[in-house]
Amino acid sequence: MKVSLIQTNARADKVANVRRAFELIEQACTEDRPDLVMLPECFTIYGSTVEAQLAAAEPCPGGETYEALGKLAAKHGVFIHAGSMNERDGERMYNTTLVFDRSGKEVARYRKIHMFSITAPDGVVYDEGKIYTPGTDIVTYDIDGVTVGCTICYDLRFPELFQALVARGAKIIAVPAAFTLQTGKEHWEALLRARAIETQCFILAPGQEGPYEEDGATLFNYGHSLVVEPWGAVIARRALGEGIITTRLDLADIDAARSRVQLAAHRAARNVQGL
């Protein structure tokens, strides 16, 4: 399976952000002909104000970006895993992954479960709960017989979600993100590699990178989009700058890792209360 990960520097201009993301999808499909293209978290708008975030939300289906993603997937005969965008559902807004198959049909919708709510080492407060409603559903989808599990950014810190995806047959797990520079420097790669080792899955993690404005302050996303194989090695990376990383996934690596360290069998055999 060939995959392309898109790294962008989304800011407050939704039209410009979507145009740039679509340009990079077109480029990846034309030059690399992948089976799966994956965008980062919040590729339509990032930062700005709560009011702008709410205004950028779309109904799904029916929204302009939603409809355009389906058409683009059908045009190139590719799966598009649209990292996340602001989905409006009645009075609520969700941070939502949408996945379209080769025909342009929606095949998965994942609403981010864990809300990023921390005080960073530099004192900046982040609180997604101000605008988003948490999702509740664990979501997978099938691409050519391979099960892909859905997560978004802060979900990375909750290994139980990743184990639940493995229990549903996941062999690839998506982690589209907008990881802060403050936390990303120490935690991003370490956590991604840990989740790959624990789940014995491929981890695909496209990120937002670079500066953006939020409530009058300039903040930074870490970037460093990665592909990690099931043994825990990084096999593709883009550190900084907008662009594309494309690599092939040798699906035999999943069985190889799972045969070397038989986590599933050992987990099923244990009899420890609370585990």
mmCIF file of all heavy atoms in Angstrom, residues 82-102:
data_model
loop_
_atom_site.group_PDB
_atom_site.id
_atom_site.type_symbol
_atom_site.label_atom_id
_atom_site.label_comp_id
_atom_site.label_asym_id
_atom_site.label_seq_id
_atom_site.Cartn_x
_atom_site.Cartn_y
_atom_site.Cartn_z
ATOM 1 N N ALA A 82 -9.425 12.815 5.481
ATOM 2 C CA ALA A 82 -9.372 14.261 5.703
ATOM 3 C C ALA A 82 -9.184 14.529 7.191
ATOM 4 O O ALA A 82 -10.143 14.645 7.947
ATOM 5 C CB ALA A 82 -10.636 14.929 5.171
ATOM 6 N N GLY A 83 -7.936 14.634 7.588
ATOM 7 C CA GLY A 83 -7.463 14.740 8.969
ATOM 8 C C GLY A 83 -8.502 15.159 9.975
ATOM 9 O O GLY A 83 -8.968 14.364 10.782
ATOM 10 N N SER A 84 -8.900 16.446 9.940
ATOM 11 C CA SER A 84 -10.100 16.859 10.656
ATOM 12 C C SER A 84 -10.510 18.244 10.194
ATOM 13 O O SER A 84 -9.695 19.028 9.703
ATOM 14 C CB SER A 84 -9.914 16.840 12.184
ATOM 15 O OG SER A 84 -9.242 17.998 12.645
ATOM 16 N N MET A 85 -11.816 18.527 10.360
ATOM 17 C CA MET A 85 -12.379 19.834 10.059
ATOM 18 C C MET A 85 -13.507 20.098 11.050
ATOM 19 O O MET A 85 -13.927 19.192 11.778
ATOM 20 C CB MET A 85 -12.883 19.902 8.619
ATOM 21 C CG MET A 85 -13.875 18.813 8.252
ATOM 22 S SD MET A 85 -14.346 18.855 6.513
ATOM 23 C CE MET A 85 -15.477 20.249 6.502
ATOM 24 N N ASN A 86 -13.958 21.332 11.088
ATOM 25 C CA ASN A 86 -15.034 21.698 12.004
ATOM 26 C C ASN A 86 -16.378 21.278 11.415
ATOM 27 O O ASN A 86 -16.819 21.816 10.402
ATOM 28 C CB ASN A 86 -15.023 23.202 12.259
ATOM 29 C CG ASN A 86 -13.792 23.663 13.012
ATOM 30 O OD1 ASN A 86 -13.012 22.846 13.500
ATOM 31 N ND2 ASN A 86 -13.602 24.964 13.115
ATOM 32 N N GLU A 87 -17.014 20.314 12.064
ATOM 33 C CA GLU A 87 -18.314 19.808 11.619
ATOM 34 C C GLU A 87 -19.425 20.421 12.473
ATOM 35 O O GLU A 87 -19.396 20.319 13.708
ATOM 36 C CB GLU A 87 -18.362 18.284 11.754
ATOM 37 C CG GLU A 87 -19.710 17.692 11.368
ATOM 38 C CD GLU A 87 -19.957 16.317 11.953
ATOM 39 O OE1 GLU A 87 -19.071 15.795 12.679
ATOM 40 O OE2 GLU A 87 -21.047 15.763 11.685
ATOM 41 N N ARG A 88 -20.391 21.030 11.824
ATOM 42 C CA ARG A 88 -21.544 21.577 12.531
ATOM 43 C C ARG A 88 -22.695 20.586 12.481
ATOM 44 O O ARG A 88 -23.074 20.103 11.423
ATOM 45 C CB ARG A 88 -21.978 22.908 11.892
ATOM 46 C CG ARG A 88 -23.121 23.589 12.669
ATOM 47 C CD ARG A 88 -23.405 24.984 12.156
ATOM 48 N NE ARG A 88 -23.980 24.988 10.818
ATOM 49 C CZ ARG A 88 -23.373 25.433 9.725
ATOM 50 N NH1 ARG A 88 -22.146 25.907 9.793
ATOM 51 N NH2 ARG A 88 -23.982 25.409 8.555
ATOM 52 N N ASP A 89 -23.227 20.273 13.657
ATOM 53 C CA ASP A 89 -24.370 19.370 13.767
ATOM 54 C C ASP A 89 -25.353 20.003 14.741
ATOM 55 O O ASP A 89 -25.215 19.869 15.954
ATOM 56 C CB ASP A 89 -23.914 17.997 14.256
ATOM 57 C CG ASP A 89 -25.048 16.981 14.289
ATOM 58 O OD1 ASP A 89 -26.154 17.293 13.817
ATOM 59 O OD2 ASP A 89 -24.827 15.867 14.802
ATOM 60 N N GLY A 90 -26.335 20.719 14.202
ATOM 61 C CA GLY A 90 -27.248 21.459 15.052
ATOM 62 C C GLY A 90 -26.515 22.575 15.769
ATOM 63 O O GLY A 90 -25.815 23.378 15.158
ATOM 64 N N GLU A 91 -26.624 22.612 17.093
ATOM 65 C CA GLU A 91 -25.950 23.633 17.888
ATOM 66 C C GLU A 91 -24.536 23.218 18.302
ATOM 67 O O GLU A 91 -23.833 23.999 18.945
ATOM 68 C CB GLU A 91 -26.778 23.934 19.144
ATOM 69 C CG GLU A 91 -28.156 24.512 18.855
ATOM 70 C CD GLU A 91 -28.064 25.826 18.099
ATOM 71 O OE1 GLU A 91 -27.243 26.687 18.492
ATOM 72 O OE2 GLU A 91 -28.798 25.990 17.099
ATOM 73 N N ARG A 92 -24.142 22.027 17.930
ATOM 74 C CA ARG A 92 -22.844 21.513 18.364
ATOM 75 C C ARG A 92 -21.811 21.564 17.240
ATOM 76 O O ARG A 92 -22.149 21.483 16.063
ATOM 77 C CB ARG A 92 -22.985 20.076 18.857
ATOM 78 C CG ARG A 92 -23.857 19.935 20.101
ATOM 79 C CD ARG A 92 -23.948 18.495 20.544
ATOM 80 N NE ARG A 92 -24.714 18.348 21.781
ATOM 81 C CZ ARG A 92 -24.928 17.196 22.392
ATOM 82 N NH1 ARG A 92 -24.437 16.076 21.882
ATOM 83 N NH2 ARG A 92 -25.625 17.157 23.517
ATOM 84 N N MET A 93 -20.537 21.673 17.640
ATOM 85 C CA MET A 93 -19.441 21.579 16.683
ATOM 86 C C MET A 93 -18.477 20.491 17.140
ATOM 87 O O MET A 93 -18.139 20.402 18.323
ATOM 88 C CB MET A 93 -18.703 22.904 16.540
ATOM 89 C CG MET A 93 -17.639 22.869 15.440
ATOM 90 S SD MET A 93 -16.979 24.492 15.007
ATOM 91 C CE MET A 93 -15.886 24.776 16.392
ATOM 92 N N TYR A 94 -18.075 19.667 16.196
ATOM 93 C CA TYR A 94 -17.151 18.567 16.460
ATOM 94 C C TYR A 94 -15.866 18.757 15.656
ATOM 95 O O TYR A 94 -15.874 19.342 14.561
ATOM 96 C CB TYR A 94 -17.782 17.228 16.062
ATOM 97 C CG TYR A 94 -18.999 16.854 16.856
ATOM 98 C CD1 TYR A 94 -20.279 17.172 16.400
ATOM 99 C CD2 TYR A 94 -18.894 16.166 18.064
ATOM 100 C CE1 TYR A 94 -21.409 16.826 17.124
ATOM 101 C CE2 TYR A 94 -20.023 15.814 18.798
ATOM 102 C CZ TYR A 94 -21.272 16.148 18.319
ATOM 103 O OH TYR A 94 -22.393 15.804 19.032
ATOM 104 N N ASN A 95 -14.768 18.231 16.199
ATOM 105 C CA ASN A 95 -13.496 18.147 15.486
ATOM 106 C C ASN A 95 -13.493 16.773 14.812
ATOM 107 O O ASN A 95 -13.261 15.752 15.461
ATOM 108 C CB ASN A 95 -12.354 18.285 16.495
ATOM 109 C CG ASN A 95 -10.999 18.393 15.832
ATOM 110 O OD1 ASN A 95 -10.850 18.209 14.634
ATOM 111 N ND2 ASN A 95 -9.990 18.697 16.639
ATOM 112 N N THR A 96 -13.748 16.756 13.499
ATOM 113 C CA THR A 96 -14.185 15.529 12.836
ATOM 114 C C THR A 96 -13.284 15.104 11.683
ATOM 115 O O THR A 96 -12.979 15.899 10.789
ATOM 116 C CB THR A 96 -15.619 15.716 12.301
ATOM 117 O OG1 THR A 96 -16.485 16.010 13.392
ATOM 118 C CG2 THR A 96 -16.110 14.468 11.594
ATOM 119 N N THR A 97 -12.891 13.834 11.704
ATOM 120 C CA THR A 97 -12.265 13.177 10.563
ATOM 121 C C THR A 97 -13.351 12.657 9.628
ATOM 122 O O THR A 97 -14.316 12.032 10.074
ATOM 123 C CB THR A 97 -11.415 11.979 11.009
ATOM 124 O OG1 THR A 97 -10.278 12.442 11.740
ATOM 125 C CG2 THR A 97 -10.940 11.149 9.828
ATOM 126 N N LEU A 98 -13.158 12.891 8.335
ATOM 127 C CA LEU A 98 -14.023 12.321 7.306
ATOM 128 C C LEU A 98 -13.160 11.545 6.328
ATOM 129 O O LEU A 98 -12.079 12.013 5.934
ATOM 130 C CB LEU A 98 -14.786 13.424 6.566
ATOM 131 C CG LEU A 98 -15.768 14.213 7.433
ATOM 132 C CD1 LEU A 98 -16.077 15.549 6.806
ATOM 133 C CD2 LEU A 98 -17.050 13.408 7.651
ATOM 134 N N VAL A 99 -13.613 10.351 5.956
ATOM 135 C CA VAL A 99 -12.852 9.507 5.027
ATOM 136 C C VAL A 99 -13.727 9.190 3.822
ATOM 137 O O VAL A 99 -14.894 8.787 3.974
ATOM 138 C CB VAL A 99 -12.399 8.195 5.699
ATOM 139 C CG1 VAL A 99 -11.530 7.384 4.732
ATOM 140 C CG2 VAL A 99 -11.637 8.478 6.996
ATOM 141 N N PHE A 100 -13.146 9.370 2.634
ATOM 142 C CA PHE A 100 -13.845 9.109 1.379
ATOM 143 C C PHE A 100 -13.105 8.020 0.609
ATOM 144 O O PHE A 100 -11.870 8.000 0.567
ATOM 145 C CB PHE A 100 -13.908 10.386 0.534
ATOM 146 C CG PHE A 100 -14.638 11.512 1.220
ATOM 147 C CD1 PHE A 100 -13.967 12.367 2.090
ATOM 148 C CD2 PHE A 100 -15.994 11.706 1.030
ATOM 149 C CE1 PHE A 100 -14.636 13.395 2.744
ATOM 150 C CE2 PHE A 100 -16.675 12.718 1.675
ATOM 151 C CZ PHE A 100 -15.993 13.571 2.540
ATOM 152 N N ASP A 101 -13.880 7.099 0.011
ATOM 153 C CA ASP A 101 -13.252 5.999 -0.723
ATOM 154 C C ASP A 101 -12.982 6.391 -2.170
ATOM 155 O O ASP A 101 -13.167 7.548 -2.573
ATOM 156 C CB ASP A 101 -14.083 4.724 -0.618
ATOM 157 C CG ASP A 101 -15.411 4.793 -1.377
ATOM 158 O OD1 ASP A 101 -15.649 5.750 -2.139
ATOM 159 O OD2 ASP A 101 -16.226 3.860 -1.199
ATOM 160 N N ARG A 102 -12.544 5.428 -2.968
ATOM 161 C CA ARG A 102 -12.124 5.704 -4.340
ATOM 162 C C ARG A 102 -13.257 6.205 -5.229
ATOM 163 O O ARG A 102 -13.015 6.821 -6.267
ATOM 164 C CB ARG A 102 -11.511 4.441 -4.956
ATOM 165 C CG ARG A 102 -10.261 3.934 -4.238
ATOM 166 C CD ARG A 102 -9.700 2.727 -4.957
ATOM 167 N NE ARG A 102 -8.706 2.008 -4.164
ATOM 168 C CZ ARG A 102 -7.419 2.331 -4.103
ATOM 169 N NH1 ARG A 102 -6.978 3.371 -4.772
ATOM 170 N NH2 ARG A 102 -6.581 1.614 -3.365
#
